Amino acid sequence: MEKWPLGVFASIDAGLGVHLEVVKELGVPTIHLHAPSKASRTPEKASEFTAKLKKMGITISVVFGGFEGESYADIPTTAKTVGLVPPETRAARTAEMKEIADFARLLGVDIVALHVGFVPHDTSHQLYKDAVAVTQEICDHCKGNNQRLHLETGQESPEGLLQFHGDVDRDNLFINFDPANMILYGSGEPIEALKKVGKYVRSVHCKDATWADKPGEEWGAEVPLGEGDVGFENFLSTLKEIGYDGPLTIEREIPQEPARQKEEIGRGVKLLTELRAKIL
Ligand code: MG
């Protein structure tokens, strides 16, 4: 595969991201697929879907897990509802994440990813220990499938993420770096963070955002690629510096406005294509 192929976050019947028809229209060759609903996670659907993608000329690089009941409405809601950290939903979601990994294997995809949730900063906190244990459990399941697990960045500072990565201590655990999330959650300057965690970054989201007035307390704002505070020329130069050569996967979450979403992703494709030609 060429270096830095373009990608887009996509979904079939559930989850975030654009539909496949939009991916095709945009002429983007790779996707991060948000896991489809349970009803679609069957061997029959997997073959059907693989055939469809092949015909469209689209490759899945990562399958993302997501769960019912997750809400990114604001920072406290995200902490309470997202990922494997919340105790009430942990067992069911852990089982579901393993099913999602198995479905990814049926699709021939060797990377699964997720937002693990808000990991407490205090490493002696029970929730921290639980988060380490559940991530080990998912990693070990993925290992049995010859898969890697990528943690979505955003909630943790780069130091916190490195600490967590070290404590989980699994050789198939890597990072999906989302620079916009660092800004949205107020967890650190994204380029500096990328340099710090770079050796574990094996996939990225090209998403942009502007800082909140009170970072870490209020959400920043997600904006079209190139219009926020990430600085994509710098971001791509840093990806080159750390030796990253995987897909550049655009994520733009405004599913309520599909026409605008498609137009903005189209502009993102153009921007990344220009920057890639300049930097690579
Ligand atoms: Mg992301």
Side-chain angles (χ1 to χ4, degrees):
M1 204 193 272
E2 60 170 340
K3 210 171 161 183
W4 289 359
L6 291 184
V8 64
F9 204 96
S11 59
I12 320 173
D13 64 353
L16 305 167
V18 298
H19 293 294
L20 290 183
E21 289 62 34
V22 177
V23 180
K24 176 83 182 150
E25 282 176 54
L26 288 165
V28 171
T30 76
I31 57 171
H32 282 186
L33 178 72
H34 209 168
S37 63
K38 191 175 174 72
S40 294
R41 296 196 300 258
T42 63
E44 296 72 34
K45 291 277 183 190
S47 335
E48 235 173 73
F49 188 52
T50 305
K52 183 177 178 182
L53 283 174
K54 196 173 172 203
K55 209 167 143 198
M56 292 174 110
I58 297 168
T59 307
I60 308 172
S61 60
V62 179
V63 172
F64 256 81
F67 310 104
E68 216 164 315
E70 290 187 321
S71 166
Y72 294 88
D74 52 43
I75 292 178
T77 307
T78 304
K80 214 183 300 170
T81 66
V82 169
L84 304 175
V85 176
E88 312 76 43
T89 46
R90 190 183 302 136
R93 286 179 177 181
T94 302
E96 184 168 13
M97 193 62 207
K98 291 178 187 174
E99 287 173 19
I100 289 169
D102 295 347
F103 180 70
R105 184 177 61 170
L106 291 176
L107 295 173
V109 178
D110 60 5
I111 305 173
V112 293
L114 87 161
H115 269 277
V116 75
F118 269 75
V119 176
H121 298 171
D122 175 3
T123 56
S124 66
H125 198 294
Q126 188 56 43
L127 270 187
Y128 182 89
K129 294 175 188 167
D130 292 350
V132 168
V134 75
T135 306
Q136 288 171 330
E137 188 179 337
I138 304 284
C139 280
D140 294 344
H141 184 86
C142 288
K143 185 94 174 174
N145 284 345
N146 284 317
Q147 291 168 324
R148 307 193 307 242
L149 180 69
H150 289 193
L151 298 174
E152 172 85 347
T153 58
Q155 304 93 324
E156 278 74 52
S157 66
E159 294 77 16
L161 192 58
L162 286 175
Q163 171 82 40
F164 184 72
H165 186 278
D167 288 339
V168 174
D169 192 23
R170 290 295 187 272
D171 63 5
N172 62 333
L173 183 65
F174 293 95
I175 289 169
N176 181 77
F177 193 88
D178 185 326
N181 282 353
M182 306 298 299
I183 292 172
L184 289 168
Y185 293 85
S187 40
E189 204 287 311
I191 307 296
E192 288 313 306
L194 177 60
K195 288 177 185 166
K196 285 180 187 157
V197 303
K199 64 176 172 173
Y200 299 118
V201 171
R202 296 293 171 86
S203 58
V204 299
H205 283 161
C206 292
K207 189 170 87 190
D208 213 343
T210 54
W211 291 96
D213 290 334
K214 295 181 190 159
E217 288 175 51
E218 300 162 355
W219 274 129
E222 192 195 322
V223 297
L225 194 61
E227 295 178 20
D229 294 327
V230 169
F232 272 86
E233 182 158 356
N234 205 357
F235 182 64
L236 264 56
S237 299
T238 309
L239 286 177
K240 187 181 176 186
E241 211 176 286
I242 64 168
Y244 178 80
D245 55 13
L248 303 176
T249 306
I250 299 173
E251 184 183 14
R252 178 71 176 124
E253 301 302 353
I254 43 168
Q256 66 285 8
E257 293 177 80
R260 194 179 130 210
Q261 185 183 38
K262 184 175 141 190
E263 187 271 323
E264 289 181 1
I265 293 173
R267 279 193 278 138
V269 167
K270 190 164 172 283
L271 175 67
L272 291 180
T273 304
E274 286 164 10
L275 289 175
R276 182 175 62 179
K278 186 173 169 187
I279 293 164
L280 264 191

